[in-house]
Amino acid sequence: MERFDLRGLLYRKNRLLNNITSSVYQLRMQLSQCIICHGSSDVHPQICTYCLANLPFFSIEKVGGDLLNWPAMNNLFKKRHFDRLISVTPYAWPMSHWINQFKYQRRHDYASLLGFVLQYQWHRANEELYDCSDIVISVPTHQRKWQLRGFNQAHLLAEAFSKYHQISYQDNLLRRVKYEQAQVGQSGTQRRKSVAGNFALSDRDQIAGKKVLLIDDVITTGATINEISRLLKSNYVKNVTVLTLCVSIDKC
Ligand SMILES: [Zn+2]
């Protein structure tokens, strides 16, 4: 009587599942269109190589991978606690439209595209910096706001970003402990006052001596990322690199 070969069966099952996953991805790529030119997408299901290359990127190569080396940006964030700044583009089309769809129209399918362009720019910056971070964290939202909105855009971005590399994403390390009302129209000074003491760390030992990559969607006044960076540095973090989709230069 023939012996039942469980290992062989599991091997064939896994191979079949891998083939199906690969075929589904290839089919998705064939069926998907670039959301800008509507041509066939190749580098990512939502964008083609040509349109990706033509996004209005900050020239990260000219500033050695760090936008703070650009005098104009350095002046905007003079009193800062973070060490480096990487951002994809100024707050302009098409990124402004995609972010709007993602945050306010609940188009969570944009998280994958935005995470992809975030890692694309981060990769280009890292080719200049040669100094990889140890852990990724994202700007947290207050639990009440999370319940009201149903999601935290910075968390979804960091999750999508983390699929492209091995740096550990620690989504429980940082908490927002104060609930804030809408911040629209506040000046830089008002923002700095209103975010002071808003955050807390859940595990100080885990972060001491580490190089942290802090992800947010858009920087406007920079008060939030600066307050988080201040907290991280006061807990012996080695350095903080801020990574965002956009810097809204005219609002700073
Ligand atoms: Zn295209």
Side-chain angles (χ1 to χ4, degrees), residues 34 36-38 48 51:
C34 169
I36 297 179
C37 72
H38 305 296
C48 72
C51 292

Side-chain angles (χ1 to χ4, degrees), residues 18 32 48 63 78 87 92 107 116 124 145-146 159 163 170 177-178 198 213 238:
N18 286 342
S32 48
C48 72
V63 290
K78 269 183 182 161
S87 187
R107 290 285 306 273
F116 174 74
R124 293 168 71 198
K145 200 167 187 176
W146 192 316
E159 264 191 340
K163 287 180 183 159
Q170 305 283 327
V177 289
K178 268 204 265 175
N198 276 13
L213 187 65
K238 190 173 177 186

Side-chain angles (χ1 to χ4, degrees), residues 23 151 230 251:
S23 302
F151 67 98
R230 189 197 61 73
K251 291 179 186 169

Side-chain angles (χ1 to χ4, degrees), residues 18-35:
N18 286 342
N19 286 342
I20 291 171
T21 307
S22 167
S23 302
V24 166
Y25 183 77
Q26 282 168 11
L27 186 65
R28 194 180 164 209
M29 287 296 284
Q30 283 166 11
L31 293 175
S32 48
Q33 283 188 331
C34 169
I35 58 173

Side-chain angles (χ1 to χ4, degrees), residues 38-105:
H38 305 296
S40 57
S41 46
D42 42 14
V43 283
H44 181 275
Q46 289 159 291
I47 197 165
C48 72
T49 309
Y50 179 80
C51 292
L52 176 66
N54 280 286
L55 290 179
F57 287 109
F58 282 117
S59 300
I60 208 85
E61 295 87 358
K62 284 184 185 171
V63 290
D66 179 5
L67 286 174
L68 295 175
N69 290 332
W70 178 16
M73 203 66 82
N74 187 42
N75 277 341
L76 286 174
F77 305 111
K78 269 183 182 161
K79 293 178 183 174
R80 60 177 179 265
H81 296 279
F82 48 95
D83 303 278
R84 294 178 187 130
L85 175 63
I86 304 168
S87 187
V88 184
T89 70
Y91 193 69
W93 190 90
M95 290 286 275
S96 53
H97 173 68
W98 294 345
I99 292 168
N100 190 285
Q101 291 289 309
F102 174 50
K103 278 174 78 169
Y104 304 112
Q105 307 301 320

Side-chain angles (χ1 to χ4, degrees), residues 102-119:
F102 174 50
K103 278 174 78 169
Y104 304 112
Q105 307 301 320
R106 295 180 173 269
R107 290 285 306 273
H108 293 174
D109 52 315
Y110 276 82
S112 172
L113 172 65
L114 294 171
F116 174 74
V117 294
L118 203 59
Q119 69 80 33

Side-chain angles (χ1 to χ4, degrees), residues 187-201:
S187 70
T189 311
Q190 286 170 323
R191 281 291 300 135
R192 276 189 288 280
K193 279 184 184 168
S194 67
V195 296
N198 276 13
F199 301 94
L201 286 170

Side-chain angles (χ1 to χ4, degrees), residues 105-139:
Q105 307 301 320
R106 295 180 173 269
R107 290 285 306 273
H108 293 174
D109 52 315
Y110 276 82
S112 172
L113 172 65
L114 294 171
F116 174 74
V117 294
L118 203 59
Q119 69 80 33
Y120 181 78
Q121 182 76 330
W122 174 81
H123 232 81
R124 293 168 71 198
N126 256 17
E127 283 175 8
E128 306 287 333
L129 288 168
Y130 298 109
D131 188 17
C132 217
S133 302
D134 302 312
I135 58 171
V136 175
I137 60 174
S138 59
V139 173

